[in-house]
Amino acid sequence: MDIDKKYDNYDFPLTAAEPQDGHAGHLSQQQIAQVHQLRLMLEAEGYTDRLDTLTLLRFLRARKWDVMLSKAMFVDTEKWRKETKLDETVPIWDYPEKAEVAKYYKQFYHKTDKDGRPIYIETLGGIDLTAMYKITTADRMLTNLAVEYERLTDPRLPACSRKVGKLLETCCTVMDLKGVTLTKVPSVYSYVRQASVISQNYYPERLGKLFLINAPWGFSTVWSVVKGWLDPVTVKKIHILGSGYQTELMKHVSPESLPVEFGGTCRCDGGCENSDAGPWHDPEWARPAWWEKKADEKTIQNSGSQIETPKDAPSAEAALVAEKAKDETSVEAKQTTAA
C-alpha cells in the first residue's frame, strides 16, 4: 500500500497477518486508488483527522469498496464523535462504577488469542437494567464502550502487532450467554442493540472471531434464521457453542490466556476482569497512546463507590422505554435509507 507521509505515522508492522484481499500489504492498484479518492473527497469537505490509510481501508472494506458509501459512513462517524465529544472524553475518562456494574454485566479485555489478537469478554446472563441504572446510566455505559474501542485501536492493537511482527486490526470476542433466559431477552436486547450500533457503524472491521458460549437450548435454531440476514464474511467469524465449548474454544485461545471461570487457567490478582493484562502493558511492546499524550493533570480521579446516578437521569423504566424508542427510530431510519 502507499504510505501518506501527512497522515500515516505508524510505529508498528503494516503487513496484514493473513494475505486477505483489501488488507494492508495485499492491495490492488484499484484499491490503492480508491483510498486516495476517498481521502481527497474527505479533505475537500474539511476533514483532517483519522485520514490515515488503515482507517480508510477499514471503511472501504465495510462498504464493499463503494467510495461514496464509505465516505457517508466516515462522515456519520465523525459527526457522532463530535456530538459525543469523544476525542475530549477519552483522555480523561474514568469509570469508577465498573466493579459494581460488573456484578451484572462484565466487559473486559484480557490477554490474547493464539493469533495474537486481544481477547474481549462479555457476560450477558446477569444483565439487570433496573439494578444497573441505580449504579450508572445508559449513556455512561455506552460512553465506556466507545472509550474501550478507542483503547483497542490504541494502544492494544499496535502493541499486539509489534509482538507478533504483523499487522493485527481485529479482536477475538468471547460472549457468554449463560443465564440468558426468555424473560431477560427484552432487556438484554435493548442494550445490546444500542451497543451494536456503535460497533457496526463507527468501528467497522474490528471483529476477528466471535465465540458465543453457553448458548441456550434453541439458540441454534434462531441462529440458522438470523445468519441468513448477515454478510457471509461476518457469518464465518461467528461460532455458536453450547455448554461444552471448551474444546473448540481452546483451539483458538490458550488456557493461560483464558480466565479460570471460562475453563482456562488464568487467575489474575484482583480478578481477570480488572487486570487488563496484555502486551499493551509490556514495556517491550507498549507505546503511549494518542489519548495518553493528550491527557493532562486534569485527568479525573477515581472516586470509587461515591458515584451516584445523576438527579436528572431517567428512571430504569423510563430508560427502557427510551431505549426501545431509539431502537424503533433506528430501524425506521435504516428502512428509509434502504428504500
Side-chain angles (χ1 to χ4, degrees):
M1 69 181 192
D2 284 354
I3 294 296
D4 189 301
K5 294 182 180 180
K6 182 178 180 180
Y7 300 107
D8 295 337
N9 301 308
Y10 306 121
D11 59 358
F12 50 85
L14 295 179
T15 299
E18 298 178 14
Q20 301 180 73
D21 177 56
H23 289 252
H26 308 286
L27 302 176
S28 67
Q29 289 302 313
Q30 180 181 353
Q31 290 166 339
I32 291 174
Q34 287 170 305
V35 171
H36 292 309
Q37 181 185 3
L38 177 57
R39 181 181 288 123
L40 288 171
M41 292 170 66
L42 291 169
E43 284 181 324
E45 293 196 14
Y47 293 98
T48 57
D49 296 325
R50 288 169 285 277
L51 296 184
D52 63 284
T53 302
L54 293 180
T55 297
L56 299 184
L57 281 173
R58 287 192 299 107
F59 280 86
L60 284 164
R61 291 198 301 269
R63 289 296 176 261
K64 306 299 182 186
W65 297 92
D66 184 313
V67 177
M68 292 304 297
L69 291 179
S70 301
K71 173 179 172 289
M73 186 182 193
F74 186 96
V75 170
D76 286 344
T77 298
E78 289 299 305
K79 180 181 178 182
W80 166 76
R81 294 181 73 99
K82 185 175 181 180
E83 290 174 345
T84 58
K85 298 182 179 179
L86 186 59
D87 288 350
E88 292 79 12
T89 299
V90 174
I92 63 171
W93 178 249
D94 189 49
Y95 196 52
E97 64 266 44
K98 177 180 178 179
E100 290 298 310
V101 173
K103 293 178 180 178
Y104 307 98
Y105 181 35
K106 292 182 181 180
Q107 300 170 281
F108 60 100
Y109 286 88
H110 183 267
K111 298 189 175 180
T112 60
D113 67 6
K114 292 183 178 180
D115 293 319
R117 297 185 183 93
I119 299 172
Y120 174 67
I121 299 174
E122 280 193 16
T123 59
L124 298 178
I127 287 183
D128 181 339
L129 291 181
T130 300
M132 290 161 65
Y133 288 157
K134 293 178 181 178
I135 302 168
T136 189
T137 65
D139 283 345
R140 282 184 63 79
M141 288 174 63
L142 293 171
T143 297
N144 187 65
L145 176 67
V147 169
E148 289 300 327
Y149 264 116
E150 290 296 310
R151 294 176 179 177
L152 170 66
T153 301
D154 189 11
R156 292 187 180 107
L157 286 169
C160 291
S161 297
R162 295 183 195 105
K163 184 174 182 179
V164 301
K166 295 288 184 180
L167 175 64
L168 296 174
E169 298 184 275
T170 61
C171 63
C172 173
T173 297
V174 178
M175 192 171 290
D176 188 4
L177 302 180
K178 186 177 182 179
V180 175
T181 62
L182 290 177
T183 57
K184 289 186 176 181
V185 166
S187 61
V188 171
Y189 176 80
S190 65
Y191 172 76
V192 171
R193 176 77 175 180
Q194 291 182 80
S196 66
V197 167
I198 290 177
S199 62
Q200 293 178 30
N201 293 1
Y202 310 134
Y203 296 96
E205 294 286 297
R206 285 305 189 201
L207 178 63
K209 296 177 182 177
L210 169 59
F211 297 93
L212 294 170
I213 64 174
N214 289 312
W217 182 85
F219 189 86
S220 295
T221 301
V222 175
W223 171 243
S224 64
V225 175
V226 172
K227 69 180 182 181
W229 307 336
L230 303 176
D231 187 301
V233 175
T234 300
V235 172
K236 290 181 179 179
K237 298 178 181 180
I238 302 174
H239 306 268
I240 311 299
L241 307 175
S243 57
Y245 62 85
Q246 287 90 347
T247 300
E248 180 61 28
L249 185 58
M250 294 302 178
K251 293 178 182 178
H252 305 269
V253 180
S254 300
E256 58 268 23
S257 292
L258 198 63
V260 66
E261 59 262 41
F262 298 103
T265 59
C266 189
R267 297 176 183 271
C268 294
D269 292 339
C272 291
E273 66 270 22
N274 299 313
S275 70
D276 193 34
W280 46 92
H281 288 301
D282 187 331
E284 184 175 359
W285 315 115
R287 305 286 187 277
W290 71 264
W291 49 269
E292 291 174 311
K293 296 174 183 176
K294 189 175 180 180
D296 55 26
E297 296 178 356
K298 296 180 181 180
T299 299
I300 297 173
Q301 296 298 311
N302 192 319
S303 56
S305 59
Q306 295 177 8
I307 187 74
E308 295 182 0
T309 302
K311 292 181 180 180
D312 59 350
S315 65
E317 292 78 7
L320 280 170
V321 172
E323 286 183 3
K324 291 180 179 179
K326 288 182 181 178
D327 291 344
E328 292 172 357
T329 301
S330 177
V331 170
E332 290 176 359
K334 288 182 178 179
Q335 290 175 340
T336 301
T337 302

